[in-house]
Amino acid sequence: MVIPERHKKLIAERDHQAGLRQLKGDAQLGVDFFSNDYLGLVHGGAGELVAGRVGSTGSRLLSGDSTLALEVEQNLANFFNGEAALLYQSGYMANLGLLSCVAGRTDTIIYDELVHASIRQGIQLSNSRSFSFKHNDCSDLEVKLQQASSQCYVVVESLYSMDGDWAKLEQIAHLCEAYQALLIVDEAHSTGIIGAHGRGFCQYKELEEKVWARIYTFGKAAGMHGAIVVGDNTLKTFLVNFSKPFIYTTAMAEKDLHLINQVPSLFEKDECRDQLHENIAFFNTEVHRLGLGLFFSRNNSPIQIFMPESASDLLGIADHLQGEGFQVKAIRYPTVPKGLDRIRICLHSFNTSDQITALLYHLKERIHS
Ligand SMILES: Cc1ncc(COP(=O)(O)O)c(C=O)c1O
């Protein structure tokens, strides 16, 4: 994988001036004069750990690192077919942590106009040159790539959270290669739901090697919280040294690390994922059968978008469905662009076909009333 020149330079400078920070795992030997466990609630009176460590007592670079954290990162890197992985407390923090530091002022970040707020905010913090491109529009992406200067990064989501459509990843990866841009893919909504044993969309498309950094989150299909950035060893070293949302925060607690370590074995069971995909196919068949095709985006994903002819009645429709016992939410500006308010329907493995039919039936009844 390409190592950006800026990263090589900053890593070398840091190494020369102040010493490169490295994660070393457990730092428990000796009397604790370094953690933030001021009341000794994590450690016992004599400084031993209280059964089962509750909090991590500090940031990873001070007292909060552990061999467990390093093991979890390596397990996840192996599972997601990457060289290295770095844990963050959430997907929001991972995007902020990655995008705020990878590009310098003269570098360029090009991002799909529909990317998540955490990506936008990370880009803003980076102070680099940045442009959005029209959603999933590779011609527009190419125009923007032609305007890029210095090292260029392209950021997309694999599955768009408010639209439910998939990135045109082959074409995007191809363009990135042609323009020597580094591709970053946020797999928040595809983690666990697609690819071999849920390894995500990059794996499904066999494009992992063409993607410079991938973000997997555990608050969605994995039902936990936390996230990892997967990339090469140099990226991990760079983030450990320059990613402020990684450096200046208390590390994850041991119980969370144990939970996250179960992600590969949870995902390896294919039944729930197979059932989810059956439900998605059934939903689309029912949309067609009930004549609702015009109102739906027809996504082959768990995120289905309903847009009525007039957005003015959207809340009424959502209220009606809620009154009938279906939990759905209207999504409105500024979460989605002005004039494109919608109802977002999230499909799950546990929704029954009767529930899906009933939901669509009530929707049809309401829009024709
Ligand atoms: C595409 C995308 N990235 C990142 C996040 C943030 O993830 P987390 O909820 O783990 O902070 C979200 C959350 O909705 C998301 O949709």
Side-chain angles (χ1 to χ4, degrees):
M1 217 12 111
V2 175
I3 303 173
E5 286 306 319
R6 175 172 169 272
H7 294 194
K8 282 188 205 158
K9 185 167 164 275
L10 286 174
I11 287 175
E13 272 173 17
R14 173 62 60 84
D15 199 17
H16 181 66
Q17 290 162 359
L20 211 53
R21 306 303 194 257
Q22 273 166 353
L23 295 172
K24 296 201 171 111
D26 267 333
Q28 298 307 320
L29 296 177
V31 182
D32 177 3
F33 282 109
F34 73 156
S35 83
N36 300 321
D37 180 24
Y38 301 116
L39 299 179
L41 296 178
V42 176
H43 294 78
E48 311 88 29
L49 287 181
V50 172
R53 201 169 162 201
V54 182
S56 66
T57 81
S59 66
R60 294 275 302 271
L61 290 174
L62 290 175
S63 61
D65 204 16
S66 61
T67 43
L68 177 62
L70 293 177
E71 266 168 38
V72 172
E73 286 175 337
Q74 201 49 56
N75 285 347
L76 291 169
N78 296 345
F79 180 73
F80 288 108
N81 300 324
E83 194 171 78
L86 189 67
L87 282 161
Y88 284 84
Q89 266 76 347
S90 68
Y92 201 103
M93 296 276 273
N95 279 333
L96 217 57
L98 178 71
L99 289 155
S100 59
C101 71
V102 288
R105 278 176 191 275
T106 56
D107 293 331
T108 308
I109 305 183
I110 303 177
Y111 57 98
D112 187 289
E113 64 183 347
L114 294 189
V115 291
H116 191 254
S118 53
I119 296 177
R120 288 167 176 272
Q121 208 158 21
I123 294 172
Q124 276 167 11
L125 287 173
S126 77
N127 287 321
S128 56
R129 295 181 75 216
S130 63
F131 317 105
S132 64
F133 67 98
K134 287 193 195 115
H135 177 51
N136 243 342
D137 181 332
C138 292
S139 312
D140 195 36
L141 171 59
E142 183 154 22
V143 171
K144 301 292 158 57
L145 281 164
Q146 285 159 356
Q147 295 164 16
S149 62
S150 208
Q151 179 62 61
C152 178
Y153 299 83
V154 171
V155 194
V156 298
E157 288 176 28
S158 47
L159 174 57
Y160 284 86
S161 58
M162 293 299 150
D163 289 68
D165 58 337
W166 300 95
K168 291 183 180 158
L169 211 53
E170 292 99 329
Q171 293 101 307
I172 293 171
H174 178 74
L175 279 172
C176 286
E177 208 164 39
Y179 286 86
Q180 294 176 344
L182 299 179
L183 179 56
I184 298 175
V185 180
D186 177 341
E187 295 246 34
H189 288 272
S190 43
T191 306
I193 71 143
I194 199 163
H197 300 314
R199 286 180 169 84
F201 195 53
C202 296
Q203 192 281 332
Y204 177 73
K205 290 282 176 186
E206 299 180 2
L207 289 169
E208 287 157 311
E209 290 190 354
K210 296 197 186 293
V211 180
W212 181 71
R214 294 172 266 143
I215 298 98
Y216 298 92
T217 71
F218 307 123
K220 302 183 193 304
M224 305 168 185
H225 72 278
I228 45 161
V229 174
V230 172
D232 62 21
N233 285 323
T234 310
L235 174 61
K236 180 165 178 174
T237 302
F238 185 79
L239 294 176
V240 166
N241 282 272
F242 297 101
S243 170
K244 292 193 167 78
F246 169 79
I247 300 168
Y248 297 105
T249 193
T250 302
M252 270 184 190
E254 192 176 308
K255 64 177 179 16
D256 295 323
L257 293 172
H258 281 299
L259 265 182
I260 289 176
N261 214 14
Q262 292 172 24
V263 163
S265 56
L266 283 175
F267 283 176
E268 266 161 20
K269 299 187 188 94
D270 287 326
E271 299 80 37
C272 297
R273 195 167 20 262
D274 292 346
Q275 185 59 53
L276 172 65
H277 288 283
E278 268 181 41
N279 289 354
I280 296 167
F282 180 72
F283 183 94
N284 279 315
T285 309
E286 286 295 82
V287 163
H288 181 70
R289 185 180 69 80
L290 292 167
L292 290 167
L294 269 182
F295 303 106
F296 275 95
S297 47
R298 306 263 196 139
N299 291 327
N300 185 20
S301 86
I303 303 171
Q304 299 289 332
I305 302 303
F306 169 78
M307 283 208 207
E309 273 162 344
S310 153
S312 59
D313 195 26
L314 203 71
L315 288 180
I317 297 174
D319 279 351
H320 174 75
L321 292 175
Q322 282 159 16
E324 296 292 342
F326 299 98
Q327 292 290 351
V328 292
K329 284 271 182 253
I331 310 285
R332 296 185 293 157
Y333 174 81
T335 304
V336 291
K338 262 196 182 122
L340 294 178
D341 292 358
R342 64 200 63 185
I343 289 175
R344 179 176 185 253
I345 296 172
C346 289
L347 298 172
H348 311 96
S349 59
F350 55 82
N351 293 135
T352 63
S353 43
D354 283 353
Q355 290 168 347
I356 291 173
T357 303
L359 169 74
L360 291 172
Y361 175 79
H362 286 294
L363 192 57
K364 180 172 174 160
E365 185 185 65
R366 180 64 173 74
I367 53 181
H368 290 316
S369 65

